[in-house]
Amino acid sequence: GELAAPPLMGLATDDSHEYFGRPGSRPGRGWVMVQAEFLTPEHLIRAMKRGQFYASTGVELSEVGFDAERRTLSVRIDPQVDTSYNIEFIATIASSEPGKLPGSEDIGKVVAQAEGLHAAYQLQDNELYVRARITSTAAHADPSYTGQHEQAWTQPVGWENRVQ
């Protein structure tokens, strides 16, 4: 059914076309950090296909792990000096009616949050996946919008047992 499809992976890119002018696209605004054993194209591509990467606009993570048996996502931040972090865990809540799609209020809902450098969240039975969004108090060095702070987003996890 509709709920048996894998979620989309999250990306951050800068898609730079203008290198010397200020307007529009500039490098260094967003990127992905890949957990690969070796720094080769083949290993990077394999790791990304497995979802072993996170998107960033400045926040760096020293650990992203999902314990499938405990259904727990944990993140640890590689901190910058004089910077605080807010870690939000985001999930989509399954409809209580079998086969029915979740309502808009249950899609991408913040289900827990923590301040600090490390947090973990255990996926609940009615949640289709969980991912983390980390927001820093540091302003982005080259913001895409007014008031932008550095952030990172992990990939959705916990959905694998719902997809054949």
Side-chain angles (χ1 to χ4, degrees), residues 3-4 71 94 125-128 158-164:
L3 302 179
R71 297 174 46 85
D125 289 341
N126 66 336
E127 294 166 350
L128 300 177
W159 55 268
E160 297 84 355
N161 65 344
R162 295 178 181 273
V163 177
Q164 299 303 318

Side-chain angles (χ1 to χ4, degrees), residues 10 23 33 45 71 73 91 97-98 101 109 112 121 129 138 151 154:
M33 299 289 280
I45 290 167
R71 297 174 46 85
L73 171 62
E97 297 177 44
L101 294 173
K109 182 178 182 176
Y121 180 79
Y129 67 86
Q151 291 185 296
T154 70

Side-chain angles (χ1 to χ4, degrees), residues 50-119:
R50 289 191 302 267
Q52 292 177 301
F53 68 99
Y54 65 91
S56 180
T57 60
V59 170
E60 291 187 21
L61 304 177
S62 58
E63 174 191 320
V64 177
F66 181 65
D67 181 330
E69 190 174 307
R70 294 182 53 232
R71 297 174 46 85
T72 301
L73 171 62
S74 60
V75 294
R76 186 174 301 278
I77 298 159
D78 187 8
Q80 296 178 20
V81 178
D82 298 326
T83 304
S84 300
Y85 300 89
N86 180 43
I87 304 166
E88 297 172 293
F89 292 97
I90 298 168
T92 289
I93 314 302
S95 172
S96 55
E97 297 177 44
K100 185 177 179 197
L101 294 173
S104 60
E105 70 281 358
D106 292 326
I107 297 172
K109 182 178 182 176
V110 176
V111 292
Q113 62 180 1
E115 301 290 328
L117 300 179
H118 177 263

Side-chain angles (χ1 to χ4, degrees), residues 1-38:
E2 298 88 2
L3 302 179
L8 296 175
M9 297 291 164
L11 294 172
T13 65
D14 50 36
D15 192 27
S16 185
H17 299 283
E18 301 173 68
Y19 294 99
F20 303 106
R22 286 295 298 164
S25 309
R26 293 186 295 282
R29 290 175 134 182
W31 55 90
V32 296
M33 299 289 280
V34 183
Q35 288 178 288
E37 189 174 352
F38 300 104

